[in-house]
Coordinates of all heavy atoms in Angstrom, one line a residue:
M56 N -29.0 -88.2 7.3 CA -28.9 -87.0 8.1 C -29.7 -87.3 9.4 O -30.9 -87.7 9.3 CB -29.5 -85.8 7.5 CG -29.3 -84.5 8.3 SD -29.8 -83.1 7.2 CE -29.6 -81.9 8.5
S57 N -29.1 -87.1 10.6 CA -29.8 -87.5 11.8 C -30.6 -86.3 12.3 O -30.4 -85.1 11.9 CB -28.8 -87.9 12.9 OG -28.2 -86.8 13.4
D58 N -31.6 -86.6 13.1 CA -32.4 -85.6 13.7 C -31.6 -84.9 14.8 O -31.2 -85.5 15.8 CB -33.7 -86.2 14.3 CG -34.7 -85.2 14.9 OD1 -34.3 -84.1 15.1 OD2 -35.8 -85.6 15.1
S59 N -31.5 -83.6 14.7 CA -30.6 -82.8 15.7 C -31.4 -82.6 17.0 O -30.8 -82.0 17.9 CB -30.2 -81.5 15.1 OG -31.4 -80.7 14.8
R60 N -32.6 -83.1 17.1 CA -33.3 -83.0 18.3 C -33.5 -84.4 19.0 O -34.3 -84.5 19.9 CB -34.7 -82.3 18.1 CG -34.4 -80.8 17.7 CD -35.7 -80.0 17.5 NE -36.6 -80.7 16.6 CZ -37.9 -80.7 16.8 NH1 -38.5 -80.2 17.8 NH2 -38.7 -81.3 15.9
R61 N -32.8 -85.3 18.5 CA -32.8 -86.7 19.1 C -31.6 -86.8 20.0 O -30.4 -86.5 19.6 CB -32.7 -87.7 18.0 CG -32.6 -89.1 18.5 CD -32.4 -90.1 17.3 NE -32.5 -91.5 17.8 CZ -31.5 -92.2 18.3 NH1 -30.3 -91.7 18.4 NH2 -31.7 -93.5 18.7
V62 N -31.8 -87.3 21.2 CA -30.7 -87.5 22.2 C -30.5 -89.0 22.4 O -31.5 -89.7 22.5 CB -31.0 -86.8 23.5 CG1 -29.9 -87.2 24.5 CG2 -31.0 -85.3 23.3
E63 N -29.3 -89.4 22.4 CA -29.0 -90.8 22.7 C -28.0 -90.9 23.9 O -27.0 -90.1 23.9 CB -28.3 -91.5 21.5 CG -27.9 -92.9 21.7 CD -27.2 -93.4 20.4 OE1 -27.9 -93.8 19.5 OE2 -25.9 -93.4 20.4
I64 N -28.3 -91.7 24.8 CA -27.4 -92.0 25.9 C -26.9 -93.4 25.8 O -27.7 -94.4 26.0 CB -28.0 -91.8 27.3 CG1 -28.6 -90.3 27.4 CG2 -27.1 -92.1 28.4 CD1 -29.4 -90.1 28.6
E65 N -25.6 -93.6 25.5 CA -25.1 -95.0 25.4 C -24.4 -95.3 26.7 O -23.6 -94.5 27.2 CB -24.1 -95.0 24.2 CG -23.5 -96.4 24.0 CD -22.6 -96.6 22.8 OE1 -22.4 -95.5 22.1 OE2 -22.1 -97.7 22.5
Y66 N -24.7 -96.4 27.3 CA -24.2 -96.7 28.6 C -23.7 -98.2 28.7 O -24.1 -99.0 27.9 CB -25.3 -96.6 29.7 CG -26.4 -97.5 29.5 CD1 -26.5 -98.8 30.2 CD2 -27.4 -97.3 28.6 CE1 -27.5 -99.7 29.9 CE2 -28.4 -98.2 28.3 CZ -28.5 -99.4 29.0 OH -29.4 -100.3 28.8
C67 N -22.8 -98.4 29.6 CA -22.1 -99.8 29.7 C -23.0 -100.7 30.5 O -23.3 -100.4 31.7 CB -20.8 -99.6 30.4 SG -19.9 -101.2 30.6
T68 N -23.5 -101.8 29.9 CA -24.3 -102.8 30.6 C -23.4 -103.6 31.6 O -23.9 -104.0 32.6 CB -24.9 -103.7 29.6 OG1 -23.9 -104.4 28.8 CG2 -25.9 -103.0 28.7
Q69 N -22.1 -103.8 31.2 CA -21.2 -104.5 32.1 C -21.0 -103.8 33.4 O -20.8 -104.4 34.5 CB -19.9 -104.8 31.4 CG -20.0 -105.6 30.2 CD -18.7 -105.5 29.3 OE1 -18.2 -104.4 29.1 NE2 -18.2 -106.6 28.9
C70 N -21.0 -102.5 33.4 CA -20.8 -101.6 34.5 C -22.1 -101.4 35.3 O -22.1 -100.7 36.3 CB -20.2 -100.3 34.1 SG -18.6 -100.4 33.2
R71 N -23.2 -101.8 34.8 CA -24.5 -101.6 35.4 C -24.9 -100.1 35.5 O -25.3 -99.7 36.6 CB -24.6 -102.3 36.7 CG -24.2 -103.8 36.7 CD -25.2 -104.6 37.5 NE -24.8 -106.1 37.5 CZ -25.1 -106.9 36.6 NH1 -25.7 -106.6 35.5 NH2 -24.7 -108.2 36.7
W72 N -24.7 -99.4 34.4 CA -24.9 -98.0 34.4 C -26.3 -97.6 33.9 O -26.6 -96.4 33.7 CB -23.9 -97.2 33.7 CG -22.6 -97.2 34.4 CD1 -22.4 -97.4 35.8 CD2 -21.3 -96.9 33.9 NE1 -21.1 -97.3 36.1 CE2 -20.3 -97.0 35.0 CE3 -20.8 -96.7 32.6 CZ2 -19.0 -96.8 34.8 CZ3 -19.4 -96.5 32.5 CH2 -18.5 -96.5 33.5
L73 N -27.2 -98.6 33.7 CA -28.6 -98.3 33.2 C -29.3 -97.3 34.2 O -29.9 -96.4 33.7 CB -29.4 -99.6 33.0 CG -30.9 -99.4 32.7 CD1 -31.1 -98.5 31.5 CD2 -31.6 -100.7 32.6
P74 N -29.3 -97.6 35.5 CA -30.0 -96.6 36.4 C -29.5 -95.2 36.2 O -30.3 -94.2 36.2 CB -29.7 -97.1 37.8 CG -29.4 -98.6 37.6 CD -28.7 -98.7 36.3
R75 N -28.2 -95.0 36.1 CA -27.6 -93.6 35.9 C -28.1 -93.1 34.5 O -28.5 -91.9 34.5 CB -26.1 -93.7 35.9 CG -25.4 -92.4 35.8 CD -23.9 -92.6 35.8 NE -23.3 -93.2 36.9 CZ -22.6 -92.6 37.8 NH1 -22.4 -91.3 37.7 NH2 -22.1 -93.2 38.9
A76 N -28.1 -93.9 33.5 CA -28.5 -93.4 32.2 C -30.0 -93.1 32.2 O -30.4 -92.1 31.6 CB -28.2 -94.5 31.1
A77 N -30.8 -93.9 32.8 CA -32.2 -93.7 32.9 C -32.6 -92.4 33.7 O -33.5 -91.7 33.3 CB -32.9 -94.9 33.5
W78 N -31.8 -92.2 34.7 CA -32.1 -91.0 35.5 C -31.7 -89.8 34.7 O -32.5 -88.8 34.7 CB -31.2 -91.1 36.8 CG -31.3 -89.8 37.7 CD1 -32.4 -89.5 38.4 CD2 -30.3 -88.8 37.8 NE1 -32.1 -88.2 39.0 CE2 -30.9 -87.8 38.7 CE3 -29.0 -88.6 37.3 CZ2 -30.1 -86.7 39.0 CZ3 -28.3 -87.5 37.6 CH2 -28.9 -86.6 38.5
L79 N -30.6 -89.8 34.0 CA -30.2 -88.7 33.2 C -31.2 -88.4 32.1 O -31.6 -87.3 31.7 CB -28.8 -88.9 32.6 CG -28.3 -87.7 31.8 CD1 -28.2 -86.4 32.6 CD2 -26.9 -88.1 31.2
A80 N -31.7 -89.5 31.5 CA -32.8 -89.4 30.4 C -34.0 -88.8 31.0 O -34.6 -87.9 30.3 CB -33.1 -90.8 29.9
Q81 N -34.4 -89.1 32.2 CA -35.6 -88.5 32.8 C -35.4 -87.0 33.0 O -36.2 -86.2 32.8 CB -35.9 -89.2 34.1 CG -37.1 -88.6 34.9 CD -37.3 -89.3 36.2 OE1 -37.1 -90.5 36.3 NE2 -37.8 -88.6 37.2
E82 N -34.2 -86.7 33.5 CA -33.8 -85.2 33.7 C -33.9 -84.5 32.4 O -34.5 -83.4 32.3 CB -32.4 -85.1 34.3 CG -32.3 -85.5 35.7 CD -32.9 -84.5 36.7 OE1 -32.7 -83.3 36.6 OE2 -33.7 -85.0 37.5
L83 N -33.4 -85.0 31.3 CA -33.4 -84.4 30.0 C -34.8 -84.3 29.4 O -35.2 -83.2 28.9 CB -32.5 -85.1 29.0 CG -31.0 -84.9 29.3 CD1 -30.2 -85.8 28.4 CD2 -30.5 -83.5 29.3
L84 N -35.6 -85.4 29.6 CA -37.0 -85.3 29.0 C -37.9 -84.4 29.8 O -38.7 -83.7 29.2 CB -37.6 -86.8 29.1 CG -37.1 -87.7 28.1 CD1 -37.5 -89.1 28.4 CD2 -37.5 -87.3 26.7
T85 N -37.6 -84.2 31.1 CA -38.4 -83.3 31.9 C -38.1 -81.9 31.5 O -39.0 -81.0 31.4 CB -38.1 -83.5 33.4 OG1 -38.5 -84.8 33.8 CG2 -38.9 -82.5 34.3
T86 N -36.8 -81.6 31.3 CA -36.4 -80.2 30.9 C -36.7 -79.9 29.5 O -37.1 -78.7 29.3 CB -34.9 -80.1 31.1 OG1 -34.5 -80.4 32.5 CG2 -34.4 -78.7 30.8
F87 N -36.6 -80.8 28.6 CA -36.8 -80.5 27.2 C -38.0 -81.3 26.6 O -37.9 -81.7 25.4 CB -35.5 -80.8 26.4 CG -34.3 -80.1 26.9 CD1 -33.3 -80.7 27.6 CD2 -34.2 -78.7 26.6 CE1 -32.2 -80.0 28.1 CE2 -33.1 -78.0 27.1 CZ -32.1 -78.7 27.8
E88 N -39.1 -81.4 27.3 CA -40.2 -82.2 26.8 C -40.8 -81.7 25.5 O -41.3 -82.5 24.8 CB -41.2 -82.4 27.9 CG -41.9 -81.1 28.3 CD -42.8 -81.3 29.5 OE1 -43.1 -82.5 29.9 OE2 -43.3 -80.3 30.1
T89 N -40.7 -80.5 25.2 CA -41.3 -80.0 23.9 C -40.2 -79.8 22.8 O -40.5 -79.7 21.7 CB -42.0 -78.6 24.1 OG1 -41.1 -77.7 24.6 CG2 -43.2 -78.8 25.1
E90 N -38.9 -79.8 23.2 CA -37.9 -79.6 22.2 C -37.3 -80.9 21.6 O -36.9 -80.9 20.5 CB -36.7 -78.8 22.8 CG -37.0 -77.4 23.1 CD -37.6 -77.1 24.5 OE1 -37.8 -78.1 25.3 OE2 -37.9 -76.0 24.8
L91 N -37.3 -82.0 22.4 CA -36.8 -83.2 21.9 C -37.8 -84.0 21.1 O -39.0 -84.1 21.5 CB -36.2 -84.1 23.1 CG -35.1 -83.5 23.9 CD1 -34.7 -84.4 25.0 CD2 -33.9 -83.1 23.0
T92 N -37.3 -84.7 20.1 CA -38.2 -85.6 19.3 C -38.1 -87.0 19.8 O -39.0 -87.8 19.6 CB -37.9 -85.5 17.8 OG1 -36.5 -85.9 17.6 CG2 -38.1 -84.1 17.2
E93 N -36.9 -87.3 20.4 CA -36.7 -88.7 20.8 C -35.6 -88.7 21.8 O -34.6 -87.9 21.7 CB -36.4 -89.6 19.6 CG -36.1 -91.0 19.9 CD -35.8 -91.9 18.7 OE1 -35.7 -91.3 17.6 OE2 -35.6 -93.1 18.9
L94 N -35.6 -89.6 22.8 CA -34.5 -89.9 23.6 C -34.3 -91.4 23.7 O -35.2 -92.1 24.1 CB -34.7 -89.3 25.0 CG -33.3 -89.2 25.8 CD1 -33.3 -88.0 26.7 CD2 -33.1 -90.5 26.6
A95 N -33.1 -91.9 23.3 CA -32.9 -93.3 23.3 C -31.8 -93.7 24.3 O -30.8 -93.0 24.5 CB -32.4 -93.7 21.9
L96 N -32.0 -94.9 24.9 CA -31.0 -95.5 25.7 C -30.4 -96.6 24.9 O -31.1 -97.5 24.5 CB -31.6 -96.0 27.0 CG -32.2 -95.0 28.0 CD1 -32.8 -95.6 29.2 CD2 -31.1 -94.0 28.4
K97 N -29.1 -96.6 24.8 CA -28.4 -97.5 23.9 C -27.4 -98.4 24.8 O -26.4 -97.8 25.2 CB -27.6 -96.8 22.8 CG -26.9 -97.7 21.9 CD -26.2 -96.9 20.8 CE -25.4 -97.9 19.8 NZ -24.7 -97.1 18.8
P98 N -27.7 -99.7 24.9 CA -26.8 -100.5 25.7 C -25.4 -100.6 25.0 O -25.4 -100.7 23.7 CB -27.5 -101.9 25.7 CG -28.9 -101.6 25.3 CD -28.9 -100.4 24.5
G99 N -24.3 -100.5 25.8 CA -23.0 -100.6 25.2 C -22.1 -101.5 26.2 O -22.6 -102.0 27.1
K100 N -20.8 -101.5 25.9 CA -19.9 -102.2 26.7 C -18.6 -101.4 26.8 O -18.4 -100.4 26.2 CB -19.6 -103.6 26.0 CG -20.8 -104.5 26.0 CD -20.4 -105.9 25.4 CE -21.7 -106.8 25.5 NZ -21.4 -108.0 24.9
G101 N -17.7 -102.0 27.7 CA -16.4 -101.4 27.8 C -16.3 -100.1 28.5 O -15.4 -99.2 28.2
G102 N -17.2 -99.8 29.4 CA -17.2 -98.6 30.2 C -17.7 -97.3 29.5 O -17.4 -96.2 29.9
V103 N -18.5 -97.5 28.5 CA -19.0 -96.4 27.7 C -20.1 -95.7 28.5 O -20.9 -96.3 29.1 CB -19.5 -96.8 26.3 CG1 -20.7 -97.7 26.4 CG2 -19.7 -95.7 25.4
F104 N -20.0 -94.4 28.4 CA -21.2 -93.5 28.9 C -21.0 -92.2 28.0 O -20.3 -91.3 28.3 CB -21.1 -93.2 30.4 CG -22.4 -92.7 30.9 CD1 -23.3 -93.5 31.4 CD2 -22.7 -91.3 30.8 CE1 -24.6 -93.1 31.9 CE2 -23.9 -90.8 31.3 CZ -24.9 -91.7 31.9
V105 N -21.8 -92.2 27.0 CA -21.7 -91.1 26.0 C -23.1 -90.6 25.7 O -24.1 -91.3 25.6 CB -21.1 -91.6 24.6 CG1 -21.2 -90.6 23.6 CG2 -19.7 -92.1 24.9
V106 N -23.2 -89.2 25.7 CA -24.4 -88.5 25.3 C -24.3 -87.9 24.0 O -23.3 -87.2 23.8 CB -24.8 -87.5 26.4 CG1 -26.1 -86.8 26.0 CG2 -24.9 -88.1 27.8
R107 N -25.2 -88.1 23.1 CA -25.1 -87.6 21.7 C -26.4 -86.8 21.5 O -27.5 -87.2 21.9 CB -25.0 -88.6 20.7 CG -23.8 -89.4 20.7 CD -23.7 -90.5 19.6 NE -22.5 -91.3 19.7 CZ -22.4 -92.4 20.4 NH1 -23.4 -92.8 21.2 NH2 -21.2 -93.0 20.5
V108 N -26.3 -85.7 20.8 CA -27.4 -84.9 20.2 C -27.3 -85.0 18.7 O -26.3 -84.5 18.1 CB -27.4 -83.5 20.7 CG1 -28.6 -82.7 20.0 CG2 -27.5 -83.4 22.2
G109 N -28.2 -85.7 18.1 CA -28.0 -86.1 16.7 C -26.8 -86.9 16.6 O -26.7 -87.9 17.3
D110 N -25.9 -86.6 15.7 CA -24.6 -87.3 15.5 C -23.5 -86.8 16.4 O -22.4 -87.3 16.4 CB -24.2 -87.4 14.1 CG -25.1 -88.2 13.2 OD1 -25.7 -89.2 13.7 OD2 -25.2 -87.9 12.0
E111 N -23.7 -85.7 17.1 CA -22.6 -85.0 17.8 C -22.5 -85.5 19.2 O -23.5 -85.5 20.0 CB -22.9 -83.5 17.8 CG -21.8 -82.7 18.5 CD -22.2 -81.2 18.6 OE1 -23.2 -80.8 18.1 OE2 -21.3 -80.5 19.1
V112 N -21.3 -85.9 19.6 CA -21.1 -86.3 21.0 C -21.0 -85.0 21.8 O -20.1 -84.2 21.5 CB -19.7 -87.1 21.1 CG1 -19.4 -87.4 22.6 CG2 -19.9 -88.4 20.4
V113 N -21.8 -84.9 22.9 CA -21.8 -83.7 23.7 C -21.2 -84.1 25.1 O -20.9 -83.2 25.9 CB -23.2 -83.1 23.9 CG1 -23.7 -82.6 22.5 CG2 -24.2 -84.0 24.5
W114 N -21.1 -85.4 25.4 CA -20.5 -85.8 26.7 C -19.9 -87.2 26.5 O -20.6 -88.1 26.1 CB -21.5 -85.7 27.8 CG -20.7 -85.7 29.1 CD1 -20.2 -86.7 29.8 CD2 -20.4 -84.5 29.9 NE1 -19.6 -86.3 31.0 CE2 -19.7 -84.9 31.0 CE3 -20.6 -83.2 29.7 CZ2 -19.2 -84.0 31.9 CZ3 -20.1 -82.3 30.6 CH2 -19.4 -82.7 31.7
D115 N -18.7 -87.3 26.9 CA -18.0 -88.7 26.9 C -17.3 -88.9 28.2 O -16.4 -88.1 28.6 CB -17.0 -88.7 25.7 CG -16.5 -90.1 25.5 OD1 -16.5 -90.9 26.5 OD2 -16.0 -90.4 24.4
R116 N -17.8 -89.9 29.0 CA -17.2 -90.1 30.3 C -15.7 -90.4 30.2 O -15.0 -90.0 31.1 CB -17.9 -91.4 30.9 CG -17.4 -91.7 32.3 CD -17.7 -93.1 32.7 NE -17.0 -94.1 31.9 CZ -15.7 -94.5 32.0 NH1 -15.0 -94.0 33.0 NH2 -15.2 -95.4 31.2
R117 N -15.2 -91.0 29.2 CA -13.8 -91.2 29.1 C -12.9 -90.0 29.1 O -11.8 -90.0 29.5 CB -13.5 -92.1 27.8 CG -13.9 -93.5 28.0 CD -13.3 -94.4 26.9 NE -13.8 -95.7 27.1 CZ -14.7 -96.4 26.3 NH1 -15.3 -95.7 25.3 NH2 -15.0 -97.6 26.6
E118 N -13.5 -88.9 28.5 CA -12.8 -87.6 28.4 C -13.1 -86.7 29.6 O -12.3 -85.9 30.0 CB -13.0 -87.0 27.1 CG -12.5 -87.8 25.9 CD -12.9 -87.2 24.6 OE1 -13.4 -86.1 24.6 OE2 -12.7 -87.9 23.6
Q119 N -14.4 -86.7 30.0 CA -14.9 -85.7 30.9 C -15.4 -86.2 32.2 O -15.8 -85.4 33.1 CB -16.1 -85.0 30.2 CG -15.6 -84.3 28.9 CD -16.8 -84.0 28.0 OE1 -17.3 -84.9 27.3 NE2 -17.3 -82.8 28.0
G120 N -15.3 -87.5 32.5 CA -15.9 -88.1 33.7 C -17.4 -88.1 33.6 O -18.0 -87.8 32.6
F121 N -18.0 -88.6 34.7 CA -19.5 -88.6 34.7 C -20.0 -87.2 34.8 O -19.5 -86.4 35.6 CB -20.0 -89.5 35.9 CG -20.0 -90.9 35.6 CD1 -19.1 -91.8 36.3 CD2 -20.9 -91.4 34.7 CE1 -19.1 -93.1 36.0 CE2 -20.9 -92.8 34.4 CZ -20.0 -93.6 35.0
P122 N -21.0 -87.0 34.0 CA -21.6 -85.6 34.0 C -22.5 -85.2 35.1 O -23.2 -86.1 35.6 CB -22.4 -85.6 32.7 CG -22.9 -87.0 32.6 CD -21.7 -87.9 33.1
E123 N -22.4 -84.0 35.5 CA -23.5 -83.4 36.4 C -24.6 -83.1 35.4 O -24.5 -82.7 34.3 CB -23.0 -82.1 37.0 CG -21.9 -82.3 38.1 CD -22.5 -83.1 39.3 OE1 -23.6 -82.9 39.6 OE2 -21.7 -83.9 39.8
P124 N -25.9 -83.3 35.9 CA -27.0 -83.1 35.0 C -27.1 -81.7 34.4 O -27.4 -81.5 33.2 CB -28.2 -83.3 35.9 CG -27.7 -84.2 37.0 CD -26.3 -83.8 37.2
T125 N -26.7 -80.7 35.2 CA -26.8 -79.3 34.7 C -25.8 -79.1 33.5 O -26.1 -78.4 32.6 CB -26.5 -78.3 35.7 OG1 -25.3 -78.6 36.4 CG2 -27.6 -78.2 36.7
A126 N -24.6 -79.8 33.5 CA -23.7 -79.7 32.4 C -24.2 -80.3 31.2 O -24.1 -79.7 30.1 CB -22.3 -80.3 32.8
V127 N -24.9 -81.4 31.3 CA -25.4 -82.1 30.1 C -26.6 -81.3 29.6 O -26.8 -81.1 28.4 CB -25.9 -83.5 30.4 CG1 -26.6 -84.1 29.2 CG2 -24.7 -84.4 30.8
K128 N -27.4 -80.7 30.5 CA -28.6 -79.9 30.1 C -28.1 -78.7 29.3 O -28.7 -78.3 28.3 CB -29.4 -79.5 31.3 CG -30.2 -80.6 31.9 CD -31.0 -80.1 33.1 CE -31.8 -81.1 33.8 NZ -32.5 -80.6 35.0
R129 N -27.0 -78.1 29.8 CA -26.5 -76.9 29.0 C -26.1 -77.3 27.6 O -26.3 -76.6 26.7 CB -25.4 -76.2 29.8 CG -25.8 -75.3 30.9 CD -24.7 -74.4 31.4 NE -23.6 -75.1 31.9 CZ -23.4 -75.4 33.2 NH1 -24.4 -75.2 34.1 NH2 -22.4 -76.1 33.6
A130 N -25.3 -78.5 27.5 CA -24.9 -78.9 26.2 C -26.0 -79.2 25.3 O -26.0 -78.9 24.1 CB -24.0 -80.2 26.4
V131 N -27.0 -79.9 25.8 CA -28.2 -80.2 25.0 C -29.0 -78.9 24.6 O -29.3 -78.7 23.5 CB -29.1 -81.2 25.8 CG1 -30.5 -81.4 25.0 CG2 -28.4 -82.6 25.9
R132 N -29.2 -78.1 25.6 CA -29.9 -76.8 25.4 C -29.2 -76.0 24.3 O -29.9 -75.5 23.4 CB -29.9 -76.0 26.7 CG -30.7 -74.7 26.6 CD -29.9 -73.4 26.3 NE -28.6 -73.3 26.8 CZ -28.3 -72.7 28.0 NH1 -29.2 -72.1 28.7 NH2 -27.0 -72.6 28.3
D133 N -27.9 -75.9 24.3 CA -27.1 -75.2 23.3 C -27.4 -75.7 21.9 O -27.2 -74.9 20.9 CB -25.7 -75.1 23.6 CG -25.3 -74.3 24.9 OD1 -26.2 -73.6 25.4 OD2 -24.2 -74.5 25.4
R134 N -27.8 -76.9 21.8 CA -28.1 -77.5 20.4 C -29.5 -77.6 20.1 O -29.9 -77.5 18.9 CB -27.4 -78.9 20.4 CG -25.9 -78.8 20.3 CD -25.2 -80.0 21.0 NE -23.8 -79.8 20.9 CZ -23.1 -79.2 21.8 NH1 -23.7 -78.6 22.9 NH2 -21.8 -79.0 21.7
V135 N -30.4 -77.7 21.0 CA -31.8 -77.9 20.7 C -32.7 -76.7 21.0 O -33.8 -76.5 20.4 CB -32.5 -79.1 21.4 CG1 -31.7 -80.4 21.0 CG2 -32.6 -79.0 22.8
A136 N -32.2 -75.8 21.9 CA -33.0 -74.6 22.3 C -32.0 -73.5 22.6 O -32.1 -73.0 23.8 CB -33.9 -74.9 23.4
P137 N -31.2 -73.0 21.7 CA -30.2 -72.0 22.0 C -30.9 -70.7 22.5 O -32.0 -70.4 22.0 CB -29.5 -71.7 20.7 CG -29.8 -72.8 19.8 CD -31.1 -73.4 20.3
G138 N -30.3 -70.1 23.5 CA -30.9 -68.9 24.1 C -31.9 -69.1 25.2 O -32.3 -68.2 25.9
R139 N -32.4 -70.4 25.3 CA -33.3 -70.7 26.4 C -32.7 -70.7 27.8 O -31.6 -71.2 27.9 CB -34.0 -72.0 26.1 CG -35.0 -72.4 27.2 CD -35.6 -73.8 26.9 NE -36.1 -74.3 28.2 CZ -36.5 -75.5 28.4 NH1 -36.5 -76.3 27.4 NH2 -37.0 -75.8 29.6
S140 N -33.3 -70.1 28.7 CA -32.8 -70.1 30.1 C -33.1 -71.5 30.7 O -34.2 -72.1 30.5 CB -33.5 -69.0 30.9 OG -33.1 -69.2 32.3
L141 N -32.2 -72.0 31.5 CA -32.5 -73.2 32.3 C -32.8 -72.9 33.8 O -32.8 -73.7 34.6 CB -31.2 -74.1 32.3 CG -30.9 -74.7 30.9 CD1 -29.6 -75.5 31.0 CD2 -32.1 -75.6 30.4
G142 N -33.1 -71.6 34.0 CA -33.5 -71.2 35.4 C -32.3 -71.1 36.3 O -31.2 -70.8 35.9
H143 N -32.6 -71.5 37.6 CA -31.6 -71.3 38.6 C -30.3 -72.1 38.3 O -29.2 -71.7 38.8 CB -32.1 -71.8 40.0 CG -32.4 -73.2 40.1 ND1 -33.5 -73.8 39.6 CD2 -31.6 -74.2 40.6 CE1 -33.4 -75.1 39.8 NE2 -32.3 -75.4 40.4
S144 N -30.3 -73.2 37.6 CA -29.1 -74.0 37.3 C -28.3 -73.4 36.2 O -27.2 -73.9 35.9 CB -29.5 -75.4 37.1 OG -30.2 -75.5 35.9
D145 N -28.8 -72.5 35.4 CA -28.1 -72.0 34.2 C -26.8 -71.2 34.5 O -25.9 -71.3 33.7 CB -29.1 -71.1 33.4 CG -28.7 -71.0 32.0 OD1 -28.0 -71.9 31.5 OD2 -29.0 -70.0 31.3
G146 N -26.7 -70.5 35.6 CA -25.6 -69.7 35.8 C -24.4 -70.5 36.4 O -23.3 -69.9 36.4
A147 N -24.5 -71.7 36.7 CA -23.4 -72.5 37.3 C -22.3 -72.5 36.4 O -22.4 -72.9 35.2 CB -23.9 -73.9 37.7
G148 N -21.1 -72.1 36.8 CA -19.9 -72.3 36.1 C -19.7 -71.1 35.0 O -18.7 -71.2 34.3
R149 N -20.6 -70.2 35.0 CA -20.4 -69.1 34.1 C -19.8 -67.9 34.8 O -20.1 -67.6 35.9 CB -21.7 -68.7 33.4 CG -22.2 -69.8 32.5 CD -23.4 -69.2 31.7 NE -23.8 -70.3 30.8 CZ -24.6 -70.1 29.8 NH1 -25.2 -69.0 29.7 NH2 -25.0 -71.1 29.0
E150 N -19.0 -67.1 34.0 CA -18.4 -65.9 34.6 C -19.3 -64.7 34.4 O -20.0 -64.6 33.4 CB -17.1 -65.6 33.9 CG -16.1 -66.7 34.1 CD -15.6 -66.9 35.5 OE1 -15.3 -65.9 36.2 OE2 -15.5 -68.0 36.0

């Protein structure tokens, strides 16, 4: 059973997406510094850019394109800190 407060960002080394993955990791760690138990960067290949919380894929570039940080923060928040406000960025895209 995986830790549901562990985030993994798998990125394509061939595409040189480490800076993008590291930046997103920093955004998530800054926002959820007390909620997350671990954030891992996982080198991959073939154009992969996937964000997982525990075993659940919450963002896949192949299906959803590159994520905006607020979209990933909402997806992570919904799993690690439901009900928590993300402040000014929380209302984006909501009706």
Side-chain angles (χ1 to χ4, degrees):
M56 183 170 178
S57 77
D58 185 343
S59 63
R60 295 183 303 143
R61 177 187 189 272
V62 173
E63 176 184 278
I64 302 171
E65 185 176 2
Y66 64 95
C67 179
T68 57
Q69 298 164 311
C70 302
R71 307 222 183 279
W72 287 340
L73 173 58
R75 186 185 295 254
W78 177 73
L79 183 58
Q81 179 180 327
E82 289 287 311
L83 292 173
L84 285 169
T85 300
T86 302
F87 301 107
E88 62 187 351
T89 60
E90 289 88 0
L91 297 181
T92 57
E93 181 180 1
L94 195 146
L96 295 177
K97 180 179 179 181
K100 294 183 178 176
V103 67
F104 196 92
V105 173
V106 180
R107 294 180 183 87
V108 177
D110 290 331
E111 182 183 1
V112 173
V113 298
W114 199 276
D115 187 337
R116 182 199 64 82
R117 287 192 178 107
E118 296 173 11
Q119 298 158 284
F121 277 112
E123 289 296 322
T125 52
V127 175
K128 286 179 185 181
R129 279 196 299 270
V131 170
R132 183 269 320 265
D133 291 348
R134 287 150 183 89
V135 302
R139 177 181 161 190
S140 172
L141 292 175
H143 69 279
S144 64
D145 201 26
R149 292 193 175 187
E150 299 293 318

